[in-house]
Structure formats: C-alpha cells, structure tokens
Amino acid sequence: SSQQQQMQQTAIEATLFEQLGGDNVRCADSQSEIYPYILYVGDGVSSAEECGNMCSICPGNDQGGLVLQGFNYLGPSNYCECLVDSGISFDTTFCAFANGADPTFLGSGEIVSTSPRPGVQCWKVSSPASSSKARK
C-alpha cells in the first residue's frame, strides 16, 4: 500500500526500517532465534512509525554498545519491542522511557527470518544498499 511505502521512506533519525513478512510474525535471526529487546508501551508508540522513532532514539544511538536490528510492533496493544543483538546485559532503566526489557534471548545479527506471532509486525533496519533507502 502507498501508506506502507510512505512509512518506509520516512527518515527516522537517519534510521530507516522495512517490514519483513506480514502482519502476524515476529523478527528472528539466521538461526531462527528471537532477539533481546527493550520495550515501550502506550500512547507514545501508537503506530509502527512511532515505535521506530522510539527505538531509533534509544537503544538506536549505540548506547552501551547495543546494536539495534529492528523492532516488533503489536499495534492493537501499542506494544513496541526494540530488538538488539544478544551478548550485552541491560535492564528497563537502560532507556529513559522504557517500560520493560528482556536481555535473555539469543538473536543477533541481521534480521533475516520470522516466526508466527498473532498481530505482530516485524520491521528490520534497512541496509544502506537496500532500495528503500536509496530512494529518498
């Protein structure tokens, strides 16, 4: 849809995201592992675009060495999981406005696959070479 296309074109603090899969999947890595995440919930993340904005601000600015790979977005619940590489410990206080965190998952590296999860969208950071970033 053109609205989705518009969202992909939006420069978010120089971070662009592209959706992977449909509306019922969460992000996974090349080993089908899901990612550690920092969670935002509520009115501040009432769209996938706002979720991407929040993730770009924190943890997306390399705070603490965390590498942002993308986010899972559950629209009906305004539930936004910012997905980072495994291997670095963090908690809810890591990002000022976060509502939760879980560093225990094993996902790392580029988001390349998905696993079924009702109502969830998977968005991955666009690589500089990808077409969605080239067409600004």
Side-chain angles (χ1 to χ4, degrees):
S1 71
S2 61
Q3 184 183 0
Q4 184 179 349
Q5 202 60 31
Q6 179 64 40
M7 192 181 293
Q8 290 181 7
Q9 300 303 320
T10 305
I12 302 170
E13 297 286 325
T15 305
L16 287 175
F17 300 92
E18 55 192 273
Q19 191 173 358
L20 198 64
D23 287 341
N24 295 290
V25 296
R26 62 179 169 182
C27 301
D29 71 4
S30 59
Q31 308 296 311
S32 299
E33 297 283 357
I34 59 175
Y35 291 81
Y37 64 85
I38 287 169
L39 173 68
Y40 296 102
V41 183
D43 293 342
V45 288
S46 59
S47 68
E49 190 172 4
E50 289 183 351
C51 177
N53 277 326
M54 292 298 286
C55 293
S56 297
I57 294 165
C58 184
N61 280 326
D62 297 322
Q63 294 98 336
L66 291 184
V67 178
L68 179 67
Q69 294 292 351
F71 62 88
N72 292 325
Y73 185 66
L74 181 59
S77 304
N78 291 2
Y79 193 92
C80 170
E81 295 176 348
C82 307
L83 307 175
V84 297
D85 282 349
S86 62
I88 295 178
S89 185
F90 57 87
D91 63 22
T92 304
T93 62
F94 187 86
C95 293
F97 300 104
N99 301 101
D102 190 336
T104 61
F105 294 106
L106 300 176
S108 66
E110 187 182 353
I111 294 166
V112 294
S113 64
T114 59
S115 64
R117 192 76 182 272
V120 175
Q121 294 178 347
C122 168
W123 292 78
K124 60 175 278 185
V125 172
S126 297
S127 62
S130 78
S131 59
S132 67
K133 192 158 189 174
R135 295 194 312 269
K136 260 198 182 158

